[in-house]
Amino acid sequence: MLACPVGYGAGTRTMLDWLIPYEFSPTLLATWLLAALLYALGTRRRRVPRVRQALFWCGMALTYFALLTRFDYYALHQFFFDRIQQVLMHHLAPLLIMLAYPLAVWRAALPLRWRARLLRPFARAWPWRAVAALLFNPLLATLLFVALVLVWLIPRMMTLAMLDWRLYLLMNWSMLLSGLIYWGLVLDHRRRPPARMAPGLRVLSPALSMTPQILIGAIITFSKTDLYPIFSICGRALDIDVLTDQQYGGLITWVPAAIIEALAALLALRVWMRLSQRPRRATPRGALPATS
């Protein structure tokens, strides 16, 4: 099964047509709906500032738009639209969602009995602790965040992902999940511990992670050869010169991603300054860290 069937244009469409997924993924839609439902229930049981609620729903709306609307068609048939999709679901949408600190809200949505009998024992079980230690390791999460951008921009990997729907889904899932994990670490507003990343490293990490993306974006922008002929094979959605399309895509990889990471570094710097002004208080032995 091809991820990008050959064809030009999308024709005139109604608003409803735009909201219907181009390549329907029941798993992705079910996950999105579950996250939205739990958050809505959690806000009824836990007081959440309206600003944080707005950030969460903006992030969820961008995720839906990037992956579950007709926009996905253009991402499969135009390189610079593909780059917009990747920036949305790897940078901007996860950053907004994690800036809302949704974990405690999702947990509050669950009945107290479920949290006591299921969630807490699961969190303390050694298999999950081992997996969490690996996934939420600051160095590994940062490397994975950057590596996934670079790997899926390798022309051969891009071609395979566009021709195989399974790889295409893997690309989208990996970008979204790595973004959520990375921004969750960078935007953590607590001291270390219980936070996994030190406050100073949270400021430095986005500055380091943006550098390879700026370089690869510049390489794509100034390249004089068609690096991604797969979009011509699939059929480009817009009548734009191949190199112009590629230059737009390179600039999107270069500039908006760098701006978002610079903004995240400033937010982390603000948290670091706030924490440095607070006297450190001893945490009672065995107490569970509070999250918000």
Side-chain angles (χ1 to χ4, degrees), residues 198-271:
L201 187 57
R202 295 175 215 162
V203 179
L204 182 62
S205 181
L208 296 176
S209 65
M210 78 169 68
T211 303
Q213 298 175 76
I214 291 174
L215 292 176
I216 192 65
I219 291 172
I220 295 172
T221 300
F222 296 113
S223 176
K224 299 302 181 182
T225 59
D226 184 8
L227 299 175
Y228 305 101
I230 184 61
F231 289 94
S232 295
I233 297 173
C234 291
R236 296 181 186 271
L238 303 178
D239 186 17
I240 297 178
D241 179 72
V242 171
L243 292 184
T244 302
D245 180 27
Q246 190 167 279
Q247 289 170 355
Y248 289 165
L251 286 171
I252 292 167
T253 303
W254 177 357
V255 180
I259 292 175
I260 293 170
E261 297 203 37
L263 175 62
L266 291 175
L267 292 171
L269 177 61
R270 180 184 177 186
V271 172

Side-chain angles (χ1 to χ4, degrees), residues 9 41 151 160:
L41 292 175
V151 165
L160 292 175

